[in-house]
Amino acid sequence: MSNDREIIINRAVQEIEEEMTVNLGIGMPTMIADKIPASKHVFLHSENGMLGIGPYPISGEEDPDLINAGKETVTAKTGASFFDNAESFAMIRGGHIDLAILGGMEVSEKGDLANWMIPGKMVKGMGGAMDIVQGAQKVVIIMNHVNKHGESKIRTACELPLTGEKVVDRLITDMAVFDFTEKGMVLTEILEGYDLASIQEKTEATFTVDEKLLEKEGSFSW
Amino acid sequence: MTKVRTSFEDSLSNIKDGDTVIVGGFGLCGIPENAILALAEQGTKDLTIVSNNCGLADWGLGLLLQNHQISKMIASYVGENKVFEEQYLNGELEVELVPQGTLAERIRAGGAGIRGFYTPTGVGTPIAEGKEHKDFNGTTCILEEAITGDVSLVKAWHGDSYGNLVYRKTSRNFNPLAATAGKHTIAEVEELVDIGRLDPDTIHTPSLYVQDLLQGETYEKRIEKRTVREA
């Protein structure tokens, strides 16, 4: 795992609280599952129809009838349940999922999310992402702060087609954490190795700084 | 009274050129693999297929693509399939991408006699373009229409000759929904059990939804992504 990914995942796992029902997106968010402390009692929801995902099976015990939304073989933990897809998305749209952690391509300062298609490239489909961002009680997006060309993925407005409008509650990158509130986009945490100036330089979107953070980082010129 | 059929070929002849077919499964999990093989053999053309995914190039619904039997695909995710990509890019295949929860609900609605419903999913995205918008106490929703099929193909774990079905673990997925929304539902099962052996409290698909029931001779149950942990 790259260092950026590890930083993001280690920060993201802190979002998961005792007794939460959590949906983890495909890709980097799935890796968060392994980092949840065994002592923490949480239920992971898989949109293909399962509540209570366990760890990957040991070799030889893979069950083709037991997969997660990423089509990976998994196990069911004690107390798990299975259901059909309509019920699974009734749980999602009905607001019964406490937290969803998904990957992102672009996030705007309004909390818009784009994470499913790049015009001109083969479109694979949105899967369950559009339903999840509308329905989960809290939507946390994890992604690198900048793309491979060093450009900000946190935009004034998304250029890519949206997955959802004003749906992001929190954004965790390898540099910082932002919350999306009635006051707009707010920087709430600066991760190790960065300062306010470096975050401003790498962020296209306009944001304010949380008061508590500002007190701590007061020595930086603003 | 029995719905048990012995020939996939005969049952699949209910599908005609130009039909809409709803197919259960998520990825390769819980797909009606014997029915798909028989449909590929039969060669019926110009099909609209409604299914969450479109299989791999050489397995599941991908076999129908290889045969150029599908003219339109309604799905939520179609990655992982080169043949799909080719036919889509050369204009041979029409694709309607539907958010997964909306797809599930459209099929459910089709089977339940609900003609359409309003959902917030997709508002502000390309999916909402051209659809009726309506505000419900401050939440904007779009109108989505039900899906029904001429035929549905589903796969269950256990079934009896009346057509009662029980699915296993996450292979349930879209199967019970598909079973309700086809004018003619063909169910294949791993194990045909005697009447009375299925506990009425645990039946997932009640018998009335099923017209034909077949027991597959073998099940490959291919795994798409084998992930394991250290013992």
Side-chain angles (χ1 to χ4, degrees), chain A residues 56-57 62-67 70-73 82 84-85 89 93 123-127 131 162-163, chain B residues 29 53 76-78 97 99-102 119 121 125 127 168-170 172-174 221 225-229:
Chain A
Y56 291 133
E62 309 92 311
D63 183 344
D65 289 335
L66 186 45
I67 62 168
K71 286 123 187 171
E72 299 172 332
T73 46
F82 301 115
D84 68 53
N85 263 71
F89 281 90
R93 270 188 256 93
V123 180
K124 292 183 169 183
M126 70 294 284
D131 308 274
L162 296 187
T163 306
Chain B
C29 181
N53 314 95
S76 87
Y77 187 83
V78 293
L97 289 171
Q100 197 184 134
T102 297
T119 175
T121 300
T125 78
I127 296 308
R168 185 171 176 273
K169 301 184 180 179
T170 56
R172 193 183 316 182
N173 56 59
F174 280 85
K221 295 218 232 178
K225 288 178 193 162
R226 192 177 297 275
T227 43
V228 294
R229 70 175 191 271

Side-chain angles (χ1 to χ4, degrees), chain B residues 1-229:
Chain B
M1 177 191 134
T2 179
K3 290 171 183 168
V4 176
R5 316 286 178 238
T6 50
S7 160
F8 275 91
E9 200 186 331
D10 288 350
S11 273
L12 270 293
S13 67
N14 283 290
I15 302 179
K16 311 288 183 206
D17 288 353
D19 273 359
T20 295
V21 184
I22 306 176
V23 184
F26 182 97
L28 299 180
C29 181
I31 58 169
E33 54 181 80
N34 289 292
I36 292 170
L37 286 167
L39 185 54
E41 185 71 24
Q42 180 176 304
T44 321
K45 298 251 184 289
D46 197 23
L47 299 172
T48 294
I49 299 288
V50 183
S51 193
N52 190 56
N53 314 95
C54 201
L56 300 183
D58 65 343
W59 190 239
L61 291 171
L63 297 171
L64 303 185
L65 279 177
Q66 263 188 8
N67 278 352
H68 303 273
Q69 289 173 264
I70 306 177
S71 59
K72 183 176 180 183
M73 187 74 210
I74 302 177
S76 87
Y77 187 83
V78 293
E80 274 87 68
N81 191 329
K82 276 277 159 215
V83 182
F84 190 100
E85 193 168 332
E86 267 170 39
Q87 293 185 15
Y88 174 68
L89 293 175
N90 74 22
E92 185 182 340
L93 181 66
E94 188 189 339
V95 179
E96 181 182 343
L97 289 171
V98 182
Q100 197 184 134
T102 297
L103 181 63
E105 192 64 14
R106 286 178 67 188
I107 300 169
R108 196 198 70 79
I114 303 291
R115 302 306 197 257
F117 56 90
Y118 290 96
T119 175
T121 300
V123 171
T125 78
I127 296 308
E129 284 166 19
K131 287 180 183 156
E132 185 196 323
H133 286 59
K134 192 175 164 84
D135 184 273
F136 293 87
N137 295 321
T139 303
T140 307
C141 294
I142 52 175
L143 178 64
E144 294 282 3
E145 289 184 22
I147 295 175
T148 54
D150 296 298
V151 174
S152 283
L153 302 178
V154 306
K155 191 257 165 184
W157 181 32
H158 291 158
D160 65 25
S161 64
Y162 288 170
N164 290 307
L165 303 176
V166 173
Y167 308 92
R168 185 171 176 273
K169 301 184 180 179
T170 56
S171 73
R172 193 183 316 182
N173 56 59
F174 280 85
N175 280 301
L177 309 169
T180 67
K183 286 190 200 91
H184 188 102
T185 291
I186 301 169
E188 61 173 277
V189 298
E190 284 178 54
E191 200 182 327
L192 177 62
V193 303
D194 290 338
I195 296 289
R197 242 200 66 195
L198 299 177
D199 178 354
D201 267 336
T202 63
I203 287 168
H204 299 130
T205 293
S207 61
L208 59 80
Y209 293 115
V210 175
Q211 277 70 48
D212 288 8
L213 189 110
L214 298 110
Q215 185 172 16
E217 220 164 277
T218 57
Y219 282 92
E220 189 171 321
K221 295 218 232 178
R222 212 182 274 188
I223 289 174
E224 204 163 332
K225 288 178 193 162
R226 192 177 297 275
T227 43
V228 294
R229 70 175 191 271

